[in-house]
Each structure stands twice: as structure tokens, then as C-alpha cells.
Amino acid sequence: EAKMKRRARRPQRWLRVVAALILLSLAVPVVLVLPWRWFDPPTTAFISQARADGVDIQQTWVDWEDISVNLPIAVVAAEDQNFPHHHGFDVKSIRSALEENRKRQRGASTISQQLVKNLFLWPGHSWIRKGIEAYLTVFTELLLPKRRILEIYLNIAELGPGIYGAEAGSRHFFGVPASELSPRQTALLAAVLPNPKARSAAKPSAQVDRRADWILRQVQQLGGPGHLDGI
């Protein structure tokens, strides 16, 4: 009889373990992500790593209202044109990237995914990191409004070696606060995002100039800053 009771308890124990793991897997992302709905992140995984490597960090947080209306739309036009409408993943871009990756390397990360990577993770292309990134992106989209996602991203994105965020980037490259950036200047900042360590907004190469021109055309096609009014 005692053995039968012990056997009966085993499934219950496994159920409790499974339930605890499920609760933990839900609680950890909420604890990681939800505070940034109201509070500004004091640092990020990428910035912390750069500091550990001895890099001199330039970063000053500015609120959405203190960023030129030209910059959010320039970054969306350059990085993630479907940002206002997707739920963290741009399926069409992913399919396109998978096709093109047969010939050359191309990314398909949304701004939400890039935010998660910068805030919590590490550089690289491992499947483990991508899996964690995808999981946290789901919670980021559920817990943070689109405008807040973009506001945080604009404040933590690397725009040059050790230069993070719109305010540091605009002052370093153009000598003006983020609130005074012109459309051309914002296009140049957005143009360096794929490779900020090798590209410069202040001394743009021909490639960066061409990309900035393309971004400005995309901004016009999207309808300008008004494209983001609903987020």
C-alpha cells in the first residue's frame, strides 16, 4: 500500500515541477522587461560589455519629446518599415532574408528584436541566442508600447565606437542636441546602424551617403514622421 501511494505521488511531483518551470519561464521575462515601461534602463548588456573592454562610453538619455521627429521615422525607414504593424517579427522580411542568405548574408531583425539583443543578450548568431531573443521579443511586444520600444532603442543603439543613443550621436557627429537634428542628419545616423564601428555619420563614405539618400526617399514614401503618429 505504501508503495502504491509513492507511485501515485510521482505524477503529482512531476506536474508540480512542470508547473513551476512554466511559471518561472513566464515570470523571468516579465521581471526583465516590464520595469522599462516606466523606468529608463541604466545600462545594457552591450554597453556593460563595452565598459568591461575598456571602451569610453558616451550616452545621455533623452525622452521621446526631446528627439527630433525626423530620427524615429529615419530609423524605422532604414531598419524596420513594418514596425508599427508587426508584433515583434516581420515574417515577410524573414522569408526574404532566408532566400537571400543562400547567396549572401542578410539580417531580418526587427527593431523590437534589436532592442532585446542590445538590452539583455550578447553579439553573435548562435541558435541559442536567437531563441532567447525571440522569446523575450514576444514579451517585449506584449508589455511595452511601440513608442516606448522605439524610444528605448533610440537611446541605446550604438552609432559609433562607444557612442550610444541619439543624444550622444547627434552631439558627437553634428554638434547639436538630438532635438535639433535635420532630416539629412537623421538619415546619416540611421545609415550607420548596420555597422556603426566601420561607418561614420560625420564623415560618410560614398556608401553611407547613398544609403542616407535611400533612407530619405523611404521616409517620403512612408509619409514622413506622421507614419508613426499611431504608435
Side-chain angles (χ1 to χ4, degrees):
E1 187 178 345
K3 288 183 178 180
M4 291 179 65
K5 287 182 179 180
R6 284 196 295 270
R7 287 174 183 171
R9 289 193 192 112
R10 285 174 186 171
Q12 295 177 1
R13 289 172 183 170
W14 279 111
L15 285 173
R16 285 196 292 268
V17 170
V18 171
L21 289 174
I22 291 173
L23 286 174
L24 186 64
S25 68
L26 295 174
V28 169
V30 171
V31 170
L32 283 175
V33 174
L34 187 58
W36 313 133
R37 187 181 181 105
W38 305 286
F39 303 104
D40 303 332
T43 189
T44 72
F46 275 37
I47 291 174
S48 296
Q49 182 61 57
R51 281 202 178 100
D53 292 339
V55 176
D56 182 30
I57 302 298
Q58 298 179 46
Q59 186 203 27
T60 302
W61 185 278
V62 285
D63 294 331
W64 179 270
E65 295 77 13
D66 297 318
I67 298 173
S68 167
V69 296
N70 300 303
L71 185 58
I73 188 59
V75 170
V76 166
E79 297 281 288
D80 184 5
Q81 294 189 11
N82 201 33
F83 175 73
H85 310 296
H86 65 61
H87 299 289
F89 307 96
D90 191 335
V91 177
K92 185 177 179 180
S93 290
I94 291 171
R95 287 174 179 167
S96 177
L98 288 173
E99 289 295 323
E100 291 190 30
N101 275 342
R102 296 173 184 176
K103 300 177 181 178
R104 62 186 178 86
Q105 193 71 23
R106 180 196 161 195
S109 293
T110 63
I111 286 172
S112 303
Q113 290 173 274
Q114 293 178 54
L115 173 66
V116 165
K117 180 178 71 174
N118 279 265
L119 266 180
F120 305 118
L121 303 175
W122 61 92
H125 301 283
S126 72
W127 286 109
I128 293 175
R129 189 193 66 75
K130 292 299 289 184
I132 298 171
E133 176 189 297
Y135 189 62
L136 291 176
T137 296
V138 171
F139 283 87
T140 297
E141 284 277 338
L142 285 172
L143 298 172
L144 303 183
K146 284 284 188 179
R147 179 172 292 191
R148 182 59 173 165
I149 291 172
L150 188 51
E151 179 185 29
I152 297 174
Y153 181 68
L154 292 173
N155 275 283
I156 68 170
E158 187 177 16
L159 298 171
I163 302 164
Y164 293 85
E167 185 72 7
S170 60
R171 289 188 181 277
H172 180 87
F173 293 117
F174 305 117
V176 299
S179 59
E180 296 180 10
L181 287 166
S182 69
R184 179 69 184 179
Q185 289 169 335
T186 61
L188 286 168
L189 287 177
V192 307
L193 279 173
N195 193 358
K197 289 183 172 65
R199 300 178 181 183
S200 172
K203 298 178 180 179
S205 64
Q207 181 186 15
V208 171
D209 263 328
R210 287 194 300 271
R211 181 162 171 79
D213 290 339
W214 177 84
I215 290 169
L216 288 171
R217 291 195 298 272
Q218 295 302 302
V219 168
Q220 284 189 320
Q221 290 181 17
L222 289 172
H227 179 66
L228 301 177
D229 284 350
I231 68 170

